[in-house]
Amino acid sequence: VMRLTSGLLLVAVLTLSGCGTEPEPTAPPTSSTPTVVPTQTASPTRGGPVPQTVKGVIARAKGAEVALVDVVVPDPGPGEAVIKVGRAGICGSDLHMTSEPGTTIAPGTIIGHELAGEVVALGKGVTNLRIGDRVAPLPFVGCGHCAACSDGRPHHCAQARIDVVTGFAQFSRVGVGDCVVLPPELSDADGALIEPLAVGLQGVRKAQMRIGC
């Protein structure tokens, strides 16, 4: 977890900018009940009443329109939190996953990975986030223990999961070690832009661009 002042936002973005180098993820397995978010058995700490079902946007099939459906609000597992999504952005990959030939995504997957929101529930034993924190999560949830995770690169974790974060639902599970905590002066809209800005900065790094080029 990174806690930011507005002056350290760029540092956090630079830290997260490795997100532009991840290999093409494999799609999560198709669910037999695609409109239900998987839940965990750990006892969560909640900051107040959380609805049991909310609205979420799912990818139905390649080339088909997405659908707004009822989804179950998930419980956070160990090392996870649940956030109330405040803002979410539409990434080019969201369009690719639902339209382009050769890009696979399981029907019923809740898409959306550029997001920010408020922590409303904590998984068992979580101490590095607090109820009420506003966070911008990474779209990858790593194991939290390997060298890649310890280095802030959960997208390189051999056990990284991409079926946890659901930005196009009103609530989403997130990995507590894969979140940037936003300061009061930054809005949820600002937080949702951290991931795409990081990807752009990584592109500049890879191109080895210099001032004055």
Side-chain angles (χ1 to χ4, degrees), residues 61-190:
K62 193 173 300 298
E65 292 184 355
V66 297
L68 181 66
V69 299
D70 291 324
V71 298
V72 174
V73 176
D75 286 334
E80 296 178 352
V82 169
I83 67 170
K84 182 178 181 181
V85 177
R87 289 290 186 273
I90 300 174
C91 179
S93 62
D94 293 320
L95 303 179
H96 299 162
M97 286 187 292
T98 56
S99 61
E100 287 192 357
T103 305
T104 57
I105 184 170
T109 298
I110 303 174
I111 54 179
H113 57 271
E114 300 174 356
L115 70 154
E118 179 183 349
V119 175
V120 296
L122 299 172
K124 186 177 181 180
V126 171
T127 59
N128 51 348
L129 280 181
R130 299 187 295 264
I131 299 293
D133 279 345
R134 292 185 311 112
V135 300
L138 289 173
F140 303 90
V141 176
C143 70
H145 307 294
C146 68
C149 287
S150 299
D151 195 35
R153 297 178 293 109
H155 51 297
H156 288 161
C157 173
Q159 301 178 51
R161 293 173 292 159
I162 61 171
D163 60 341
V164 174
V165 176
T166 54
F168 290 172
Q170 291 173 284
F171 290 79
S172 174
R173 285 161 55 210
V174 299
V176 298
D178 309 312
C179 289
V180 173
V181 179
L182 303 175
E185 58 267 33
L186 292 181
S187 67
D188 287 348
D190 295 327

